[in-house]
Amino acid sequence: MRREWLASKEHAHTCCSKLHSKLEGPGEIVIWKKITSIVILLVALLLVSCDTRTTKTIHSPASDSPTIGSPLARVVYAQPDFKTHTIYATSENTLKNAGYIAVDNHGGFYVADYDNNRLLHFPQTTATGAGLQADKVYGQPDYTTNAVGKDAAGLNRPHGVAIDPNGGLYIADMLNNRVLHYSATSTIADRVYGQIDFTTTDSNPKGLSSSTLYHPQGIAVDSTGLYVADSSNNRVLHYPVGSTIADFVYGQGTPGNSQANFTSNASGNGATGLNNPRDVAVDSTGLYVVDSSNNRVLHYIPGNPTADRVYGQLDFASTSVQANQGLDNPTAATLDNPTMVALDKQGALYIADRNNNRILYYAPSISLRGNDPSAVRVYGQKGYTTRHSSTTDSTFNGPGAVAVDNTGNVFVLDIFNQRVLKFTTSLHVTGHPPMSIARGSAFEIRVTLQDAGSGITYTDFKGPLTVQIKPGTGRVGAILSGTVTVNAVSGIAIFSGLTINQAGSGYVLTTSSPGYASAETNSFSVSA
């Protein structure tokens, strides 16, 4: 809007200047000078609203209450503290320019340790400060070697990671131009995508096709199969379950499943083109693709090669590809070389906005409309218009990857600080029941979602939340009535008009929301 205003103002000033040059008498000039500024304003506003040459873009509104402030990490991995960013000798607790991160289903995570040619698994920890060291390694025989490997046991600059429904693992072995699959119990690959066997490593061997890859990076899995960001082929491939031959391609035009689509790898833009796609994520709402060199993230309905929403750019125009939309500083709606996306259990989107040294959080897709939505949370910066880098518990230097576990913990791969940071997000009861309540009398509780490190309340959080009597507390058979399911407003969930129908002691209520650990009230009693 600011750019449209400036252009319209200039246009208005030009029109006024032409009229001014036609005035002849001194009196007319004096009068003109008094009204020039008013005319410029009116004409500019008219041009902005009525100029048929400009395509009007509908923007998704930001949340009513975007969160202010930057969260603080509670755990650091691969460094001894939050201020250190040393590249150490290769071991079970070091990283070297790692490229990707993925959470497991048990509180731990995997890191593609790019320059060490390996994948590490780090287990869950409930402590704060320095995290636990890795407990599993892929691509190397031990924790101290980092040689390039080109067989079923080796890796060459691994990047993407995904977990299949059976607990198996996919790794995008980038410079070997392949994706490997591992069973849940082995560190030796049992399947290969992009190559005819485990010993060939050429890009697009025997020519570009539906079974070749060229520098694959991000990968994702859903019930239909495997998605691969085939970055140097400027496309995303979908492989159906049980097949190593792709059946659909995004980024190479329509219809997405023709021979012409699979044998083209031109970079592009618009709603059907891609330029260096680096990651993918999928959920029930659709497919997200990080179109890195176009400085945007695209959303697709699976099976449709035409994107229906863009993040980071105003629209799908061929000119809408600039970093931070050509602005001097970032905003809540711009991106600069995004590298990875993640989705939480509520459908909210996280984008690793690497060159802006931040992670952006966008409200769940179902609440958005139009293009260029604005983020409502930011990690790594105090606001949306800075891009500073440093080494602290709240800042990054090249955050290249982000992942969210099933209880809302956010893991950030801070590439050039050679570490992973864990941010703990949790429900917090801010308004407890009275210590004693008469049976049938109404009371309320209040709940917020907070960053555990900083205490920031996420005012953008909307829920939904539910409350119940914690099993094993109070009196058996007691019923909690009243407003037991609510949405949060400005980050605060108010359960009002609650009543309990039986007297007893030791009652505890527990509140929950999808994707977050539950929170409990203080213990209280109900009198007869």
Side-chain angles (χ1 to χ4, degrees):
M1 178 60 75
R2 176 171 172 78
R3 283 176 287 179
E4 293 176 355
W5 154 252
L6 292 174
S8 300
K9 182 178 178 182
E10 182 178 354
H11 188 181
H13 195 278
T14 300
C15 295
C16 294
S17 297
K18 289 179 180 178
L19 291 171
H20 183 276
S21 66
K22 295 181 180 180
L23 297 176
E24 297 178 356
E28 291 175 298
I29 293 174
V30 170
I31 294 172
W32 180 257
K33 288 181 177 180
K34 291 183 178 180
I35 65 172
T36 295
S37 60
I38 298 175
V39 173
I40 290 173
L41 175 62
L42 293 175
V43 174
L45 291 173
L46 181 62
L47 288 170
V48 168
S49 61
C50 301
D51 192 343
T52 59
R53 297 170 298 175
T54 301
T55 300
K56 186 176 181 181
T57 302
I58 299 176
H59 298 270
S60 290
S63 166
D64 293 338
S65 305
T67 297
I68 304 300
S70 181
L72 301 180
R74 302 196 78 192
V75 184
V76 58
Y77 298 84
Q79 296 290 341
D81 54 53
F82 292 105
K83 298 180 180 180
T84 307
H85 55 264
T86 302
I87 298 179
Y88 296 97
T90 306
S91 75
E92 59 266 61
N93 199 32
T94 64
L95 298 172
K96 188 176 181 182
N97 300 326
Y100 202 90
I101 190 169
V103 293
D104 62 21
N105 297 317
H106 309 287
F109 60 93
Y110 295 90
V111 175
D113 192 8
Y114 187 80
D115 278 346
N116 279 325
N117 299 301
R118 63 183 185 174
L119 181 87
L120 296 177
H121 176 265
F122 289 84
Q124 179 186 26
T125 179
T126 57
T128 59
L132 300 175
Q133 63 187 23
D135 61 358
K136 196 171 188 179
V137 60
Y138 296 75
Q140 300 295 334
D142 53 48
Y143 291 106
T144 59
T145 56
N146 60 5
V148 169
K150 297 184 178 182
D151 55 15
L155 295 169
N156 187 3
R157 286 355 187 236
H159 203 274
V161 188
I163 301 170
D164 73 19
N166 299 315
L169 201 65
Y170 292 91
I171 300 176
D173 189 12
M174 183 175 169
L175 295 193
N176 279 334
N177 299 295
R178 63 187 185 178
V179 172
L180 299 176
H181 177 269
Y182 304 77
S183 73
T185 59
S186 178
T187 58
I188 307 297
D190 59 9
R191 191 186 317 145
V192 60
Y193 298 76
Q195 302 292 346
I196 59 174
D197 55 39
F198 289 107
T199 59
T200 56
T201 61
D202 293 337
S203 62
N204 298 325
K206 298 184 178 181
L208 179 64
S209 72
S210 58
S211 60
T212 65
L213 295 169
Y214 187 6
H215 294 163
Q217 295 198 40
I219 49 183
V221 177
D222 70 1
S223 61
T224 71
L226 174 69
Y227 295 87
V228 178
D230 190 13
S231 62
S232 290
N233 279 329
N234 299 299
R235 64 184 186 176
V236 169
L237 296 177
H238 174 267
Y239 298 84
V241 174
S243 176
T244 58
I245 298 175
D247 64 353
F248 203 85
V249 57
Y250 302 81
Q252 294 300 323
T254 59
N257 56 4
S258 71
Q259 180 67 14
N261 297 144
F262 285 114
T263 55
S264 172
N265 63 0
S267 62
N269 47 54
T272 58
L274 294 170
N275 188 1
N276 186 28
R278 300 189 63 175
D279 194 29
V280 287
V282 63
D283 69 3
S284 61
T285 73
L287 174 69
Y288 295 83
V289 175
V290 178
D291 190 14
S292 190
S293 292
N294 281 331
N295 298 292
R296 64 184 187 173
V297 170
L298 301 178
H299 176 272
Y300 300 83
I301 300 300
N304 186 340
T306 302
D308 64 354
R309 183 185 306 130
V310 58
Y311 297 75
Q313 299 292 346
L314 294 171
D315 49 41
F316 292 108
S318 61
T319 54
S320 295
V321 296
Q322 291 183 293
N324 291 324
Q325 299 179 13
L327 302 172
D328 291 336
N329 296 304
T331 72
T334 68
L335 298 169
D336 186 354
N337 188 33
T339 48
M340 187 177 173
V341 286
L343 295 159
D344 69 14
K345 296 297 183 182
Q346 295 195 346
L349 177 69
Y350 294 76
I351 299 179
D353 189 15
R354 194 177 82 175
N355 284 6
N356 283 327
N357 293 301
R358 64 185 185 176
I359 303 296
L360 296 178
Y361 167 96
Y362 298 78
S365 176
I366 194 171
S367 68
L368 300 178
R369 61 181 178 84
N371 294 321
D372 197 29
S374 293
V376 293
R377 295 180 204 167
V378 59
Y379 296 74
Q381 303 291 332
K382 292 183 178 180
Y384 295 99
T385 59
T386 58
R387 54 192 304 173
H388 308 303
S389 63
S390 61
T391 311
T392 69
D393 56 358
S394 63
T395 58
F396 312 124
N397 185 7
V402 60
V404 188
D405 71 14
N406 53 14
T407 59
N409 294 308
V410 178
F411 297 84
V412 176
L413 176 58
D414 191 10
I415 296 178
F416 304 120
N417 279 329
Q418 313 297 336
R419 65 183 186 175
V420 171
L421 296 180
K422 177 184 177 181
F423 297 84
T424 302
T425 307
S426 58
L427 295 174
H428 184 69
V429 179
T430 57
H432 292 268
M435 294 190 66
S436 180
I437 302 167
R439 184 182 62 183
S441 295
F443 64 97
E444 72 173 35
I445 67 169
R446 299 189 174 211
V447 182
T448 61
L449 184 69
Q450 295 185 355
D451 169 60
S454 64
I456 291 172
T457 293
Y458 289 122
T459 53
D460 60 89
F461 176 62
K462 294 182 179 180
L465 300 93
T466 59
V467 62
Q468 64 177 359
I469 299 172
K470 181 181 178 180
T473 70
R475 188 169 179 178
V476 175
I479 297 174
L480 177 69
S481 301
T483 307
V484 295
T485 299
V486 301
N487 289 318
V489 177
S490 296
I492 303 173
I494 302 175
F495 295 91
S496 59
L498 298 176
T499 61
I500 294 177
N501 67 339
Q502 292 192 33
S505 61
Y507 278 97
V508 174
L509 303 184
T510 181
T511 65
S512 59
S513 185
Y516 300 105
S518 60
E520 297 179 355
T521 67
N522 294 335
S523 177
F524 62 96
S525 62
V526 176
S527 59

